[in-house]
Amino acid sequence: MPELSKPYRILVARFCHESHRLNPRPTDEELFVVERGHDILRTPAGVLKGLTDTLAAAGANIEPVFSANGGAGGLVDHDFYVRMREELLVAVRRIKPDAIGLDLHGAMGTTETPDAEGDLLQALRHVVGPNVPIGIGLDLHGHITPRMLDNTDICIACKENPHSDFVECGQKVAELLLEQLEGRLKPVTVSARVPMILPGAAETGSGPLAEIHAKAREYAAQQPSIKDISIYNVFRFTDDDEIGQVVTILSDGSGADTPSIAVDLATRFWVERERFKDDLLTVEEVFERVRSSPDKRPFAIGDMGDRVAAGAPGDGTILLSAALDGYPELSGAVPITDPVAAAQAIEAGVGATVKLSVGAGFTPGFTPRLITGRVEHVSDGNFVVAGIVGRGDPSAMGPTAVLRVDDRIQVLLTTKPADTTDPAAFTSQNVVIEDLDFIIVKSGFHFVANFDGLATPVLVNTPGVGYYRRNQFDYQKARFWPEHDIANPEITARQHSIGTS
Ligand SMILES: [Zn+2]
């Protein structure tokens, strides 16, 4: 990065949540980890880290406002969202920054609006006007709306699923913002949308998605004016107009070819749509595999239906019951969200034997499970993510108790939905994962990266709101394949201009 002509003042903030409309537990302030001011620069993670490290190295003046990270869960409490939005707007009016850099998720919805980022960015643009650059770095699981693109100069996503490149994404946002401030970049974004979701095969490292990403990199290498191509894995747990696969291209000036490139990449999704399928094991198949396979133990079993990482409550008991009732020779660890049972176990104290009904407190249709076990560990449930996805991020499971059942199954009773993408969720609770046959993780992709070398990953087909199945969810506004019969769609490119929505 060449030296800056002046020490620009760049306002930075992080406001991240992936909001699942069918998780009946709204995400309120208590479920967010919030830090303010310079505290957010002490150990930043992800996009925020890439942003702030790059800005600091370039000599820009960073004006940190807040970091609010809620992970994934039910719709964000609208009043909390509005308070945070207003806090940000007040800071913007006070600081009068030269540019704004934000770490957002891209699929935040509140109890009142399915497009929280669009609302936030429109409000910011209204305050700063058209000439203050706004740059955002997103999770690729975004619900990307025209309102978001019409109000940002730089809107780009991470490129990998599992998301091992959040830091690089933030770095790129910072570099592009500074290039724009220095007058060396006139960012123009075009987008193309396909009315479909990816029912499966959503990892970027293999299958049709790897091929489409490779084609995007090839286009970018051929055209120096292209600064970024972002390919979003549509977020399907919302119900809004125009949900679909989105491709965005950010170029320096309006390149004549970028609309046709966006359309070509988007069309590839439609052409390849039948290949986007997962290969999930049934509950019986997965435990049989654990029992009989010589592969490295433990097996990390991704509970797809109850994925906290996709916004599910994490209160499923089907895998716990299968392990207790059908596989007496297996040892394992099973996290379950249950604030009431966690409190009862903590109250009883370490060493006590308790009989508790656990799980099924939130997800409709789930069945609680009665267990008797010895309380072997209690804690505040706080840990720091160690693996590549989210490294350095504080994670809060809330008060947590570990119950040992049948002397072989450790049940982690958490107050909040636990992000078990990372081994630290278990090791922080004194669970020795290498001694176990299996651990249940409430994640579908990211755990594969964070448990690399520690466990054998498998995905299991379980009920719940964390996994898309045709006709399971009631969509009123959204129309997309394969939920609806869609004839060959007309895929067109749209150029975005600041402040037009
Ligand atoms: Zn994601």
Side-chain angles (χ1 to χ4, degrees):
M1 189 89 214
E3 204 166 314
L4 299 177
S5 59
K6 66 176 223 183
Y8 299 105
R9 274 148 50 105
I10 318 281
L11 182 145
V12 298
R14 179 189 196 196
F15 195 4
C16 287
H17 192 258
E18 181 177 313
S19 311
H20 193 312
R21 73 185 172 96
L22 291 172
N23 177 335
R25 184 183 193 180
T27 304
D28 57 14
E29 183 166 5
E30 202 199 330
L31 293 178
F32 272 83
V33 177
V34 183
E35 293 181 308
R36 288 185 166 81
H38 282 84
D39 282 354
I40 78 171
L41 302 180
R42 275 187 296 122
T43 55
V47 168
L48 183 66
K49 176 175 171 58
L51 257 177
T52 54
D53 284 357
T54 307
L55 292 171
N61 286 325
I62 299 172
E63 298 279 357
V65 183
F66 61 69
S67 169
N69 182 23
L75 294 171
V76 174
D77 173 64
H78 191 71
D79 289 346
F80 170 68
Y81 162 74
V82 169
R83 285 201 303 280
M84 298 309 285
R85 182 189 67 193
E86 294 312 303
E87 187 174 328
L88 189 59
L89 296 179
V90 166
V92 169
R93 288 190 189 96
R94 175 174 54 80
I95 292 165
K96 298 186 174 54
D98 295 307
I100 296 171
L102 301 177
D103 176 351
L104 304 176
H105 182 283
M108 180 160 65
T110 77
T111 45
E112 290 186 23
T113 174
D115 179 23
E117 281 96 350
D119 177 82
L120 180 74
L121 293 162
Q122 189 177 42
L124 276 172
R125 182 58 74 192
H126 188 70
V127 170
V128 299
N131 298 322
V132 172
I134 299 176
I136 64 175
L138 302 173
D139 187 301
L140 61 72
H141 291 104
H143 169 50
I144 303 306
T145 63
R147 190 159 57 147
M148 291 168 67
L149 296 167
D150 290 345
N151 286 294
T152 45
D153 299 81
I154 314 290
C155 174
I156 68 175
C158 67
K159 306 291 182 277
E160 306 287 342
N161 189 31
H163 310 324
S164 54
D165 63 331
F166 273 140
V167 175
E168 288 85 344
C169 177
Q171 185 180 344
K172 192 168 180 183
V173 172
E175 287 169 356
L176 292 172
L177 273 178
L178 294 175
E179 288 289 303
Q180 186 181 0
L181 285 169
E182 289 288 304
R184 295 192 290 261
L185 172 69
K186 291 193 175 12
V188 175
T189 295
V190 298
S191 68
R193 180 182 304 265
V194 200
M196 62 174 280
I197 66 160
L198 309 184
E203 294 91 342
T204 51
S206 59
L209 198 49
E211 295 162 19
I212 295 171
H213 275 264
K215 187 66 192 172
R217 287 193 295 273
E218 192 184 312
Y219 276 132
Q222 286 164 357
Q223 308 234 359
S225 66
I226 293 179
K227 301 301 174 189
D228 178 78
I229 300 180
S230 288
I231 297 172
Y232 293 87
N233 285 13
V234 58
F235 181 68
R236 73 284 313 270
F237 301 124
T238 186
D239 185 14
D240 199 8
D241 299 328
E242 293 196 78
I243 83 170
Q245 275 300 120
V246 171
V247 174
T248 63
I249 302 181
L250 190 155
S251 60
D252 183 15
S254 42
D257 292 349
T258 50
S260 60
I261 293 172
V263 168
D264 174 63
L265 292 170
T267 303
R268 286 166 190 262
F269 279 100
W270 185 255
V271 171
E272 302 290 345
R273 65 191 182 283
E274 297 289 351
R275 293 173 64 201
F276 288 100
K277 291 198 174 96
D278 278 333
D279 192 14
L280 304 183
L281 300 180
T282 65
V283 173
E284 290 72 28
E285 285 167 345
V286 85
F287 280 112
E288 283 303 327
R289 185 165 167 208
V290 174
R291 177 151 68 182
S292 60
S293 165
D295 291 344
K296 180 178 172 55
R297 279 146 207 280
F299 282 78
I301 302 171
D303 183 350
M304 296 301 275
D306 196 29
R307 275 188 300 160
V308 170
D315 59 344
T317 57
I318 189 167
L319 297 172
L320 171 65
S321 289
L324 286 175
D325 300 339
Y327 302 90
E329 69 276 46
L330 297 183
S331 63
V334 186
I336 292 179
T337 311
D338 191 329
V340 175
Q344 288 169 333
I346 291 167
E347 166 96 23
V350 171
T353 296
V354 290
K355 188 174 186 179
L356 298 171
S357 170
V358 301
F362 302 98
T363 305
F366 276 10
T367 311
R369 169 80 193 198
L370 197 62
I371 55 174
T372 301
R374 186 172 55 81
V375 182
E376 64 173 20
H377 188 263
V378 299
S379 77
D380 61 8
N382 293 331
F383 67 93
V384 175
V385 175
I388 183 82
V389 181
R391 179 172 291 150
D393 237 347
S395 195
M397 303 190 286
T400 294
V402 180
L403 219 63
R404 183 175 285 272
V405 182
D406 284 358
D407 208 32
R408 64 186 177 91
I409 303 292
Q410 288 166 292
V411 181
L412 280 68
L413 296 171
T414 68
T415 298
K416 300 178 184 181
D419 180 0
T420 45
T421 295
D422 194 77
F426 297 90
T427 56
S428 65
Q429 304 307 305
N430 278 6
V431 173
V432 184
I433 57 177
E434 59 268 34
D435 289 352
L436 301 174
D437 293 310
F438 72 89
I439 53 172
I440 303 300
V441 295
K442 306 284 181 171
S443 164
F445 308 110
H446 307 328
F447 79 98
V448 178
N450 283 19
F451 281 90
D452 187 32
L454 298 173
T456 300
V458 283
L459 302 180
V460 60
N461 191 352
T462 45
V465 299
Y467 192 68
Y468 169 81
R469 294 176 183 84
R470 193 164 188 247
N471 296 327
Q472 181 187 359
F473 304 115
D474 176 33
Y475 291 95
Q476 298 292 328
K477 292 174 158 179
R479 286 286 172 275
F480 59 87
W481 177 91
E483 185 75 9
H484 307 100
D485 293 327
I486 305 265
N488 274 352
E490 190 190 349
I491 300 168
T492 57
R494 171 175 175 160
Q495 182 169 323
H496 297 273
S497 305
I498 294 299
T500 51
S501 71

